[in-house]
Amino acid sequence: MAFEVPPLPYAKDALASHGMCAETMELHHDKHHQAYVTAVNGFVEKDATLKGKSLEDLIKLSYNKPEMAPLFNNAGQHWNHSLFWPAMSPTHGGRMPGKLEKKLIADFGGVAQFKEAFKAAAVGQFGSGWAWLILDAHGKLKVTKTPNGSNPLATGEGQALLGCDVWEHSYYLDFRNRRPDYVQNWLDKLANYDFAEAKLG
Ligand code: MN3
């Protein structure tokens, strides 16, 4: 079974009034994400040892192997973007549910402190990559960042609850070069904190 780009859980123009325009969604979901999926399918097609493996298996087996970097980057980006779309919401973006809020207060000192840490990670990621809210093996919320197509599944740092794409293609049409403004807007108006909270179990 070839990998496929999951459909967006909302219309392409649904986030426009929240700072992510329909053209960004069109290019990002239909072109960029599709290109990663097409590339992964191409690698699997050419290598019998990869056939039938899950996306998670492909990511883990190619992590930190220079000769498998093209597979890793594309498989990682498919996984990352599949999490990115539902991690935003046109109806309750930015709204903080109670259980997650309590845990953010316990683990970061407050929601504002969490947002500062997340923003620092997202802005501090030199070049392309991702900022993450993760639940680590000790049940503690943490903020991390990864370069390019990497992610917390590959690094083993924990379970990803939210991931913010800081590749320029995710914000250049809406925010030009202003990554800090994009990330602040993402945290305040786009992030689907219900989606994150549901993963707390
Ligand atoms: Mn992207």
Side-chain angles (χ1 to χ4, degrees), residues 28 32-33 36 77 81 84-85 129-130 165-167 169-170:
H28 201 175
H32 288 282
H33 192 168
Y36 300 129
Q77 283 291 72
H81 287 83
F84 183 60
W85 311 123
W130 294 76
D165 190 343
V166 298
W167 286 57
H169 64 225
S170 66

Side-chain angles (χ1 to χ4, degrees), residues 29-46:
H29 179 268
D30 295 1
K31 305 295 180 190
H32 288 282
H33 192 168
Q34 182 62 58
Y36 300 129
V37 168
T38 300
V40 174
N41 287 333
F43 292 124
V44 172
E45 192 58 41
K46 280 186 291 189

Side-chain angles (χ1 to χ4, degrees), residues 26-67:
E26 171 102 34
L27 289 166
H28 201 175
H29 179 268
D30 295 1
K31 305 295 180 190
H32 288 282
H33 192 168
Q34 182 62 58
Y36 300 129
V37 168
T38 300
V40 174
N41 287 333
F43 292 124
V44 172
E45 192 58 41
K46 280 186 291 189
D47 185 341
T49 69
L50 301 177
K51 285 211 173 85
K53 296 217 182 293
S54 70
L55 183 62
E56 288 74 13
D57 285 344
L58 292 176
I59 290 168
K60 287 175 183 167
L61 72 85
S62 60
Y63 179 55
N64 260 344
K65 296 201 179 74
E67 73 280 11

